[in-house]
Amino acid sequence: MNPILNSYEKKQLELLEEWKLAEPTLLTQSIATALSPIKRVSKHLIPESAIRGVLDFSLYSANRLADLEDIVLRAGVTEIAQLQYEDLEICDVLADEFHKEALAYATVEGVGVGLLGLPGIGIDIPAIITLAIRTTLRIAACYGFSLQSVEDRQLLLGIMAISAANNKEEKSVALANVAKMARQRVPETTQQVAEQVVEKKLEGRTSVILLYKLAEQLAVNLTQRKFLQVVPLLGGVLGGTVNASYINDVAWAARRTFQEKCLYDQQKLS
């Protein structure tokens, strides 16, 4: 481990490695197992084109609703990028604040829409995906990253794919893709620029297709979970629980990703 890491950073890296090796949450695995018989039905109900539409709408809406100026004010900086050079502990405290806010929003939204039963699913899916993207953008900003470029959008979808994993294999694939994108540094020489251009031409298309497929799987899995909301009298409780669990997974995926990226960009990790 790099000797310039302080005790707090070392502890966070230990927790980061534990998170990477952990299986997807028990609720996620239980729901996936219980609802596996309806996978084919859900795929017919929500075709690939519709899933892409929800993702595009959610990306557009979340970017507008991210309110990065709020983070600048709360952090006491003049621009988001300054947070890249703050102590990790300061960034973590800020991220924890937005993490908790997102959980509260997810629970309230899930309970409210869950009470509508089956009709509420059409409202809930776009709403929770939008909240997931918004949460990722706001947590990224806590570590100094505004996620505005095309490459950043791929990274954002990759984080969603991590949180959508139903098993260790899916999580490992998503983690590998996110790690590769998060560790891209700005090229310093002409040769590095040329190498990066060639690499993007060769791997960019494959990366985008893979990440979109994983993100689409997320939408299908969310739909399967939302079928629980049709249970009479329990739809609100189940909706709030499922939404909070999902957003918690998203928030931790974002926090761990940007903790590592922050330390890597500060050259504290190799």
Side-chain angles (χ1 to χ4, degrees):
M1 190 171 287
N2 196 314
I4 66 174
L5 292 169
N6 61 39
S7 59
Y8 179 83
E9 292 166 342
K10 290 178 181 179
K11 179 61 177 178
Q12 291 306 307
L13 283 180
E14 291 175 5
L15 294 174
L16 172 64
E17 291 306 314
E18 290 178 10
W19 170 77
K20 287 181 178 180
L21 295 173
E23 295 282 348
T25 60
L26 180 60
L27 179 60
T28 298
Q29 295 183 77
S30 299
I31 292 173
T33 300
L35 297 179
S36 58
I38 67 170
K39 278 188 177 181
R40 292 184 180 179
V41 176
S42 66
K43 286 180 180 179
H44 286 299
L45 288 176
I46 302 186
E48 183 175 321
S49 58
I51 295 171
R52 285 186 178 273
V54 169
L55 286 168
D56 288 340
F57 170 79
S58 298
L59 284 167
Y60 174 73
S61 301
N63 273 292
R64 294 180 61 193
L65 298 173
D67 193 12
L68 299 184
E69 291 183 4
D70 178 42
I71 298 173
V72 169
L73 290 174
R74 294 200 208 182
V77 295
T78 57
E79 58 182 16
I80 292 295
Q82 288 179 254
L83 291 168
Q84 291 182 37
Y85 307 100
E86 286 285 358
D87 289 340
L88 184 64
E89 188 169 5
I90 293 175
C91 295
D92 281 348
V93 169
L94 188 61
D96 190 63
E97 185 177 337
F98 291 108
H99 184 159
K100 290 176 180 176
E101 286 183 8
L103 288 178
Y105 284 132
T107 302
V108 171
E109 190 274 337
V111 170
V113 178
L115 291 172
L116 298 176
L118 185 59
I121 294 177
I123 301 171
D124 200 17
I125 294 295
I128 197 62
I129 293 178
T130 299
L131 179 58
I133 295 173
R134 180 178 188 267
T135 300
T136 303
L137 288 169
R138 287 170 75 78
I139 287 178
C142 292
Y143 296 91
F145 306 101
S146 57
L147 302 190
Q148 297 299 315
S149 70
V150 174
E151 291 79 9
D152 289 338
R153 177 171 290 196
Q154 294 175 30
L155 178 58
L156 188 155
L157 289 172
I159 291 170
M160 290 179 63
I162 294 173
S163 60
N166 288 314
N167 55 57
K168 190 68 178 293
E169 183 180 358
E170 290 178 3
K171 183 177 178 180
S172 296
V173 171
L175 281 169
N177 280 284
V178 166
K180 184 173 183 179
M181 290 183 289
R183 292 198 168 207
Q184 288 181 346
R185 286 197 174 120
V186 177
E188 298 177 353
T189 67
T190 303
Q191 182 179 353
Q192 288 175 337
V193 171
E195 290 174 349
Q196 194 173 88
V197 169
V198 172
E199 183 177 340
K200 285 185 178 181
K201 285 183 177 179
L202 291 174
E203 300 180 354
R205 180 177 293 274
T206 301
S207 177
V208 171
I209 292 172
L210 175 60
L211 291 176
Y212 263 91
K213 276 188 167 296
L214 289 168
E216 288 162 6
Q217 181 183 9
L218 155 68
V220 173
N221 289 341
L222 276 177
T223 302
Q224 293 172 5
R225 298 179 188 189
K226 294 303 174 183
F227 270 94
L228 295 174
Q229 292 179 196
V230 304
V231 179
L233 303 179
L234 293 179
V237 175
L238 292 171
T241 300
V242 169
N243 279 11
S245 175
Y246 168 60
I247 290 299
N248 190 54
D249 288 345
V250 171
W252 275 117
R255 291 177 67 171
R256 294 308 185 198
T257 296
F258 292 109
Q259 279 181 325
E260 187 172 35
K261 180 170 174 57
C262 194
L263 293 175
Y264 180 77
D265 287 357
Q266 291 176 8
Q267 299 188 0
K268 292 185 177 182
L269 296 177
S270 57

PDB file of all heavy atoms in Angstrom, residues 92-115:
ATOM      1  N   ASP A  92     -16.052  12.340   1.852  1.00  0.00           N
ATOM      2  CA  ASP A  92     -16.926  11.266   2.322  1.00  0.00           C
ATOM      3  C   ASP A  92     -18.071  11.796   3.182  1.00  0.00           C
ATOM      4  O   ASP A  92     -19.206  11.325   3.076  1.00  0.00           O
ATOM      5  CB  ASP A  92     -16.122  10.240   3.122  1.00  0.00           C
ATOM      6  CG  ASP A  92     -15.344   9.279   2.236  1.00  0.00           C
ATOM      7  OD1 ASP A  92     -15.595   9.262   1.018  1.00  0.00           O
ATOM      8  OD2 ASP A  92     -14.491   8.546   2.773  1.00  0.00           O
ATOM      9  N   VAL A  93     -17.766  12.760   4.031  1.00  0.00           N
ATOM     10  CA  VAL A  93     -18.807  13.351   4.884  1.00  0.00           C
ATOM     11  C   VAL A  93     -19.865  14.026   4.019  1.00  0.00           C
ATOM     12  O   VAL A  93     -21.075  13.893   4.253  1.00  0.00           O
ATOM     13  CB  VAL A  93     -18.190  14.368   5.867  1.00  0.00           C
ATOM     14  CG1 VAL A  93     -19.291  15.173   6.563  1.00  0.00           C
ATOM     15  CG2 VAL A  93     -17.328  13.650   6.896  1.00  0.00           C
ATOM     16  N   LEU A  94     -19.412  14.737   2.997  1.00  0.00           N
ATOM     17  CA  LEU A  94     -20.335  15.410   2.082  1.00  0.00           C
ATOM     18  C   LEU A  94     -21.171  14.384   1.309  1.00  0.00           C
ATOM     19  O   LEU A  94     -22.394  14.531   1.178  1.00  0.00           O
ATOM     20  CB  LEU A  94     -19.546  16.283   1.118  1.00  0.00           C
ATOM     21  CG  LEU A  94     -20.334  17.228   0.202  1.00  0.00           C
ATOM     22  CD1 LEU A  94     -21.135  18.223   1.027  1.00  0.00           C
ATOM     23  CD2 LEU A  94     -19.374  17.960  -0.746  1.00  0.00           C
ATOM     24  N   ALA A  95     -20.520  13.328   0.827  1.00  0.00           N
ATOM     25  CA  ALA A  95     -21.223  12.279   0.071  1.00  0.00           C
ATOM     26  C   ALA A  95     -22.246  11.563   0.946  1.00  0.00           C
ATOM     27  O   ALA A  95     -23.341  11.209   0.481  1.00  0.00           O
ATOM     28  CB  ALA A  95     -20.226  11.277  -0.492  1.00  0.00           C
ATOM     29  N   ASP A  96     -21.906  11.353   2.198  1.00  0.00           N
ATOM     30  CA  ASP A  96     -22.822  10.673   3.115  1.00  0.00           C
ATOM     31  C   ASP A  96     -24.112  11.474   3.302  1.00  0.00           C
ATOM     32  O   ASP A  96     -25.209  10.905   3.404  1.00  0.00           O
ATOM     33  CB  ASP A  96     -22.140  10.466   4.469  1.00  0.00           C
ATOM     34  CG  ASP A  96     -22.954   9.561   5.391  1.00  0.00           C
ATOM     35  OD1 ASP A  96     -23.150   8.387   5.035  1.00  0.00           O
ATOM     36  OD2 ASP A  96     -23.394  10.042   6.448  1.00  0.00           O
ATOM     37  N   GLU A  97     -23.981  12.780   3.299  1.00  0.00           N
ATOM     38  CA  GLU A  97     -25.144  13.654   3.442  1.00  0.00           C
ATOM     39  C   GLU A  97     -26.116  13.461   2.280  1.00  0.00           C
ATOM     40  O   GLU A  97     -27.329  13.318   2.477  1.00  0.00           O
ATOM     41  CB  GLU A  97     -24.659  15.110   3.493  1.00  0.00           C
ATOM     42  CG  GLU A  97     -25.732  16.133   3.757  1.00  0.00           C
ATOM     43  CD  GLU A  97     -25.174  17.544   3.867  1.00  0.00           C
ATOM     44  OE1 GLU A  97     -23.970  17.690   4.178  1.00  0.00           O
ATOM     45  OE2 GLU A  97     -25.944  18.495   3.628  1.00  0.00           O
ATOM     46  N   PHE A  98     -25.578  13.437   1.049  1.00  0.00           N
ATOM     47  CA  PHE A  98     -26.434  13.272  -0.122  1.00  0.00           C
ATOM     48  C   PHE A  98     -26.931  11.839  -0.257  1.00  0.00           C
ATOM     49  O   PHE A  98     -28.020  11.596  -0.794  1.00  0.00           O
ATOM     50  CB  PHE A  98     -25.688  13.715  -1.377  1.00  0.00           C
ATOM     51  CG  PHE A  98     -25.450  15.193  -1.418  1.00  0.00           C
ATOM     52  CD1 PHE A  98     -24.188  15.723  -1.224  1.00  0.00           C
ATOM     53  CD2 PHE A  98     -26.512  16.072  -1.617  1.00  0.00           C
ATOM     54  CE1 PHE A  98     -23.976  17.084  -1.230  1.00  0.00           C
ATOM     55  CE2 PHE A  98     -26.307  17.443  -1.636  1.00  0.00           C
ATOM     56  CZ  PHE A  98     -25.042  17.952  -1.439  1.00  0.00           C
ATOM     57  N   HIS A  99     -26.157  10.888   0.219  1.00  0.00           N
ATOM     58  CA  HIS A  99     -26.558   9.479   0.239  1.00  0.00           C
ATOM     59  C   HIS A  99     -27.827   9.334   1.076  1.00  0.00           C
ATOM     60  O   HIS A  99     -28.819   8.726   0.638  1.00  0.00           O
ATOM     61  CB  HIS A  99     -25.412   8.657   0.835  1.00  0.00           C
ATOM     62  CG  HIS A  99     -25.625   7.186   0.833  1.00  0.00           C
ATOM     63  ND1 HIS A  99     -24.586   6.281   0.930  1.00  0.00           N
ATOM     64  CD2 HIS A  99     -26.753   6.422   0.777  1.00  0.00           C
ATOM     65  CE1 HIS A  99     -25.068   5.048   0.912  1.00  0.00           C
ATOM     66  NE2 HIS A  99     -26.370   5.109   0.834  1.00  0.00           N
ATOM     67  N   LYS A 100     -27.821   9.908   2.269  1.00  0.00           N
ATOM     68  CA  LYS A 100     -28.977   9.807   3.163  1.00  0.00           C
ATOM     69  C   LYS A 100     -30.200  10.523   2.582  1.00  0.00           C
ATOM     70  O   LYS A 100     -31.327  10.041   2.712  1.00  0.00           O
ATOM     71  CB  LYS A 100     -28.620  10.377   4.533  1.00  0.00           C
ATOM     72  CG  LYS A 100     -27.629   9.517   5.302  1.00  0.00           C
ATOM     73  CD  LYS A 100     -27.212  10.165   6.616  1.00  0.00           C
ATOM     74  CE  LYS A 100     -26.224   9.279   7.360  1.00  0.00           C
ATOM     75  NZ  LYS A 100     -25.725   9.936   8.598  1.00  0.00           N
ATOM     76  N   GLU A 101     -29.974  11.653   1.946  1.00  0.00           N
ATOM     77  CA  GLU A 101     -31.080  12.372   1.320  1.00  0.00           C
ATOM     78  C   GLU A 101     -31.719  11.528   0.222  1.00  0.00           C
ATOM     79  O   GLU A 101     -32.948  11.476   0.098  1.00  0.00           O
ATOM     80  CB  GLU A 101     -30.588  13.700   0.736  1.00  0.00           C
ATOM     81  CG  GLU A 101     -30.287  14.764   1.766  1.00  0.00           C
ATOM     82  CD  GLU A 101     -29.873  16.082   1.139  1.00  0.00           C
ATOM     83  OE1 GLU A 101     -29.963  16.202  -0.104  1.00  0.00           O
ATOM     84  OE2 GLU A 101     -29.453  16.977   1.883  1.00  0.00           O
ATOM     85  N   ALA A 102     -30.886  10.877  -0.571  1.00  0.00           N
ATOM     86  CA  ALA A 102     -31.395  10.041  -1.667  1.00  0.00           C
ATOM     87  C   ALA A 102     -32.217   8.875  -1.126  1.00  0.00           C
ATOM     88  O   ALA A 102     -33.253   8.511  -1.703  1.00  0.00           O
ATOM     89  CB  ALA A 102     -30.233   9.521  -2.508  1.00  0.00           C
ATOM     90  N   LEU A 103     -31.777   8.272  -0.022  1.00  0.00           N
ATOM     91  CA  LEU A 103     -32.531   7.173   0.588  1.00  0.00           C
ATOM     92  C   LEU A 103     -33.912   7.647   1.048  1.00  0.00           C
ATOM     93  O   LEU A 103     -34.916   6.930   0.882  1.00  0.00           O
ATOM     94  CB  LEU A 103     -31.765   6.598   1.781  1.00  0.00           C
ATOM     95  CG  LEU A 103     -30.519   5.773   1.466  1.00  0.00           C
ATOM     96  CD1 LEU A 103     -29.854   5.318   2.760  1.00  0.00           C
ATOM     97  CD2 LEU A 103     -30.863   4.569   0.602  1.00  0.00           C
ATOM     98  N   ALA A 104     -33.952   8.839   1.601  1.00  0.00           N
ATOM     99  CA  ALA A 104     -35.236   9.383   2.059  1.00  0.00           C
ATOM    100  C   ALA A 104     -36.173   9.611   0.877  1.00  0.00           C
ATOM    101  O   ALA A 104     -37.359   9.244   0.926  1.00  0.00           O
ATOM    102  CB  ALA A 104     -35.002  10.693   2.812  1.00  0.00           C
ATOM    103  N   TYR A 105     -35.650  10.205  -0.195  1.00  0.00           N
ATOM    104  CA  TYR A 105     -36.459  10.435  -1.397  1.00  0.00           C
ATOM    105  C   TYR A 105     -36.969   9.106  -1.966  1.00  0.00           C
ATOM    106  O   TYR A 105     -38.141   8.987  -2.350  1.00  0.00           O
ATOM    107  CB  TYR A 105     -35.640  11.145  -2.472  1.00  0.00           C
ATOM    108  CG  TYR A 105     -35.428  12.617  -2.235  1.00  0.00           C
ATOM    109  CD1 TYR A 105     -34.163  13.172  -2.357  1.00  0.00           C
ATOM    110  CD2 TYR A 105     -36.490  13.466  -1.921  1.00  0.00           C
ATOM    111  CE1 TYR A 105     -33.945  14.531  -2.144  1.00  0.00           C
ATOM    112  CE2 TYR A 105     -36.287  14.821  -1.710  1.00  0.00           C
ATOM    113  CZ  TYR A 105     -35.014  15.351  -1.821  1.00  0.00           C
ATOM    114  OH  TYR A 105     -34.811  16.683  -1.613  1.00  0.00           O
ATOM    115  N   ALA A 106     -36.083   8.120  -2.028  1.00  0.00           N
ATOM    116  CA  ALA A 106     -36.448   6.826  -2.606  1.00  0.00           C
ATOM    117  C   ALA A 106     -37.562   6.153  -1.815  1.00  0.00           C
ATOM    118  O   ALA A 106     -38.495   5.580  -2.386  1.00  0.00           O
ATOM    119  CB  ALA A 106     -35.223   5.915  -2.668  1.00  0.00           C
ATOM    120  N   THR A 107     -37.460   6.221  -0.503  1.00  0.00           N
ATOM    121  CA  THR A 107     -38.470   5.587   0.350  1.00  0.00           C
ATOM    122  C   THR A 107     -39.826   6.258   0.191  1.00  0.00           C
ATOM    123  O   THR A 107     -40.854   5.579   0.008  1.00  0.00           O
ATOM    124  CB  THR A 107     -38.029   5.647   1.827  1.00  0.00           C
ATOM    125  OG1 THR A 107     -36.764   4.990   1.967  1.00  0.00           O
ATOM    126  CG2 THR A 107     -39.055   4.963   2.715  1.00  0.00           C
ATOM    127  N   VAL A 108     -39.840   7.581   0.257  1.00  0.00           N
ATOM    128  CA  VAL A 108     -41.099   8.323   0.132  1.00  0.00           C
ATOM    129  C   VAL A 108     -41.740   8.074  -1.231  1.00  0.00           C
ATOM    130  O   VAL A 108     -42.948   7.818  -1.332  1.00  0.00           O
ATOM    131  CB  VAL A 108     -40.866   9.836   0.347  1.00  0.00           C
ATOM    132  CG1 VAL A 108     -42.127  10.629   0.012  1.00  0.00           C
ATOM    133  CG2 VAL A 108     -40.448  10.099   1.784  1.00  0.00           C
ATOM    134  N   GLU A 109     -40.923   8.146  -2.293  1.00  0.00           N
ATOM    135  CA  GLU A 109     -41.447   7.930  -3.642  1.00  0.00           C
ATOM    136  C   GLU A 109     -41.976   6.511  -3.789  1.00  0.00           C
ATOM    137  O   GLU A 109     -43.049   6.281  -4.368  1.00  0.00           O
ATOM    138  CB  GLU A 109     -40.340   8.202  -4.673  1.00  0.00           C
ATOM    139  CG  GLU A 109     -40.805   8.256  -6.113  1.00  0.00           C
ATOM    140  CD  GLU A 109     -40.847   6.886  -6.775  1.00  0.00           C
ATOM    141  OE1 GLU A 109     -40.123   5.974  -6.306  1.00  0.00           O
ATOM    142  OE2 GLU A 109     -41.608   6.725  -7.741  1.00  0.00           O
ATOM    143  N   GLY A 110     -41.236   5.538  -3.264  1.00  0.00           N
ATOM    144  CA  GLY A 110     -41.641   4.143  -3.381  1.00  0.00           C
ATOM    145  C   GLY A 110     -42.933   3.847  -2.652  1.00  0.00           C
ATOM    146  O   GLY A 110     -43.789   3.121  -3.162  1.00  0.00           O
ATOM    147  N   VAL A 111     -43.085   4.409  -1.457  1.00  0.00           N
ATOM    148  CA  VAL A 111     -44.319   4.201  -0.684  1.00  0.00           C
ATOM    149  C   VAL A 111     -45.505   4.841  -1.406  1.00  0.00           C
ATOM    150  O   VAL A 111     -46.560   4.225  -1.577  1.00  0.00           O
ATOM    151  CB  VAL A 111     -44.181   4.794   0.735  1.00  0.00           C
ATOM    152  CG1 VAL A 111     -45.534   4.800   1.441  1.00  0.00           C
ATOM    153  CG2 VAL A 111     -43.167   3.998   1.551  1.00  0.00           C
ATOM    154  N   GLY A 112     -45.317   6.085  -1.846  1.00  0.00           N
ATOM    155  CA  GLY A 112     -46.409   6.803  -2.501  1.00  0.00           C
ATOM    156  C   GLY A 112     -46.885   6.133  -3.770  1.00  0.00           C
ATOM    157  O   GLY A 112     -48.091   5.897  -3.950  1.00  0.00           O
ATOM    158  N   VAL A 113     -45.956   5.792  -4.643  1.00  0.00           N
ATOM    159  CA  VAL A 113     -46.320   5.162  -5.912  1.00  0.00           C
ATOM    160  C   VAL A 113     -46.738   3.710  -5.695  1.00  0.00           C
ATOM    161  O   VAL A 113     -47.616   3.192  -6.401  1.00  0.00           O
ATOM    162  CB  VAL A 113     -45.147   5.246  -6.916  1.00  0.00           C
ATOM    163  CG1 VAL A 113     -45.514   4.553  -8.219  1.00  0.00           C
ATOM    164  CG2 VAL A 113     -44.774   6.689  -7.185  1.00  0.00           C
ATOM    165  N   GLY A 114     -46.142   3.054  -4.705  1.00  0.00           N
ATOM    166  CA  GLY A 114     -46.482   1.662  -4.428  1.00  0.00           C
ATOM    167  C   GLY A 114     -47.931   1.478  -4.048  1.00  0.00           C
ATOM    168  O   GLY A 114     -48.535   0.444  -4.330  1.00  0.00           O
ATOM    169  N   LEU A 115     -48.513   2.484  -3.406  1.00  0.00           N
ATOM    170  CA  LEU A 115     -49.921   2.406  -3.012  1.00  0.00           C
ATOM    171  C   LEU A 115     -50.858   2.373  -4.219  1.00  0.00           C
ATOM    172  O   LEU A 115     -52.014   1.967  -4.102  1.00  0.00           O
ATOM    173  CB  LEU A 115     -50.277   3.594  -2.108  1.00  0.00           C
ATOM    174  CG  LEU A 115     -49.626   3.582  -0.714  1.00  0.00           C
ATOM    175  CD1 LEU A 115     -49.902   4.890   0.013  1.00  0.00           C
ATOM    176  CD2 LEU A 115     -50.116   2.393   0.099  1.00  0.00           C
TER     177      LEU A 115
END
